[in-house]
Amino acid sequence: MKKLEEYVRSIPDFPEEGIVFRDVTSVLQDKDSLKMSIDQMQENLNGLDFDVIVGPESRGFIFGVPIAYNLNKAFIPVRKKGKLPCETVEMEYALEYGTATIEMHKDSIKPGQKVVIIDDLIATGGTIEAITKLIEQLGGEVVKIVFLMELEGLKGREKLKGYDVASIIKYAGK
């Protein structure tokens, strides 16, 4: 069987020259790599005491929900502003050009809950940093953050200092 990183399609010069785009859809389209990715991400939670899994729209849903199901945990979605129907808390964060806002339901995290965040990729770390702030604002404690892929050259881990961060596949560049 191939190694998981062999399933990731790398597209040079997308979305702009000098960037190598790491395409997760090639992982999702193959039954072996999809199972392998979920299994390897889940292995990072062995023996960890936690209550809920949080995942950002949309690829955090793809990987977070099956892990939550396998471990009999609740899954809490983080959505783009305006997508959740009940009372929310929100956090704005910086993008390369501009800002974005994410939201969670105000009642989604209970004070004292131990939270795991699952997502497909860490690049600059801005989205996950905002999610950690929302979780803590609601009284939760982030006990682990797991990514399928990490672009080490963008130094996203620096925004997550103090958190237990794991990534399955690491790419040295951007």
Side-chain angles (χ1 to χ4, degrees):
M1 184 179 286
K2 297 191 309 190
K3 292 196 296 188
L4 186 55
E5 51 265 39
E6 294 177 62
Y7 290 95
V8 178
R9 181 172 33 212
S10 296
I11 304 165
D13 299 323
F14 183 83
E16 59 187 54
E17 193 171 329
I19 301 293
V20 177
F21 186 82
R22 307 300 179 174
D23 185 12
V24 74
T25 62
S26 56
V27 171
L28 301 174
Q29 291 170 184
D30 182 274
K31 65 181 179 66
D32 293 329
S33 61
L34 177 59
K35 182 174 181 3
M36 196 181 321
S37 62
I38 291 167
D39 289 349
Q40 288 183 28
M41 293 174 82
Q42 185 173 312
E43 284 172 13
N44 279 275
L45 305 179
N46 287 345
L48 185 67
D49 177 30
F50 69 99
D51 302 302
V52 299
I53 291 177
V54 167
E57 183 177 347
S58 65
R59 292 174 305 264
F61 295 8
I62 292 169
F63 294 103
V65 168
I67 295 170
Y69 176 84
N70 289 343
L71 299 177
N72 196 31
K73 303 291 183 179
F75 179 82
I76 310 297
V78 177
R79 304 283 320 261
K80 295 173 183 150
K81 186 174 175 67
K83 300 286 185 182
L84 292 171
C86 297
E87 189 176 358
T88 62
V89 291
E90 66 181 47
M91 184 69 56
E92 185 177 81
Y93 63 99
L95 298 169
E96 189 175 354
Y97 303 104
T99 61
T101 303
I102 54 171
E103 295 180 321
M104 295 174 68
H105 279 138
K106 191 173 186 177
D107 63 354
S108 62
I109 302 290
K110 310 293 183 270
Q113 280 189 313
K114 295 177 181 174
V115 178
V116 168
I117 302 171
I118 302 284
D119 202 5
D120 71 319
L121 176 75
I122 179 170
T124 64
T127 304
I128 301 301
E129 179 186 37
I131 292 170
T132 64
K133 290 177 181 177
L134 281 176
I135 291 166
E136 291 165 355
Q137 178 182 329
L138 293 172
E141 175 192 358
V142 177
V143 295
K144 185 90 174 185
I145 306 170
V146 181
F147 300 99
L148 179 62
M149 298 181 287
E150 178 175 356
L151 304 179
E152 293 177 309
L154 294 175
K155 303 184 186 309
R157 272 186 195 249
E158 290 179 9
K159 288 187 179 162
L160 303 175
K161 282 185 180 167
Y163 295 101
D164 183 0
V165 177
S167 54
I168 308 307
I169 303 169
K170 295 179 182 181
Y171 296 100
K174 299 177 181 183

